[in-house]
Amino acid sequence: MTTDRGGGRKMVRIWLGDHLIAEYVAEPDRASKYQRVMTPKFTGLRITVDNAAGPGSASELPRSEQLWPLTVQ
């Protein structure tokens, strides 16, 4: 797990191997809360926290590449 405590917005990503399955960008306190909530839900998956490049840096995966429907049943 990578955590950076600097200022600015943070990007939290959840990975299934090399596949990005979730991405969230927010202020550091909200990103930290998101990471704490998602960690037990995605036990065993890698979660990274990095500085966000800019206000709209989170990109949504194309619908055909989203894995969320496979994890929730």
Side-chain angles (χ1 to χ4, degrees):
M1 194 175 327
T2 307
T3 306
D4 185 2
R5 298 275 184 215
R9 293 171 64 86
K10 301 293 180 186
M11 182 170 29
V12 182
R13 291 178 172 168
I14 303 171
W15 301 87
L16 177 62
D18 291 336
H19 301 282
L20 178 64
I21 61 170
E23 187 174 64
Y24 178 73
V25 176
E27 298 303 316
D29 58 334
R30 293 191 70 146
S32 178
K33 182 177 180 179
Y34 179 81
Q35 178 189 10
R36 283 193 311 272
V37 169
M38 290 298 137
T39 297
K41 292 179 187 265
F42 292 97
T43 302
L45 298 186
R46 182 169 49 112
I47 299 177
T48 60
V49 181
D50 299 299
N51 288 328
S57 62
S59 60
E60 189 171 322
L61 291 172
R63 190 75 88 194
S64 63
E65 294 182 30
Q66 292 179 358
L67 299 177
W68 181 253
L70 301 177
T71 62
V72 179
Q73 294 184 14

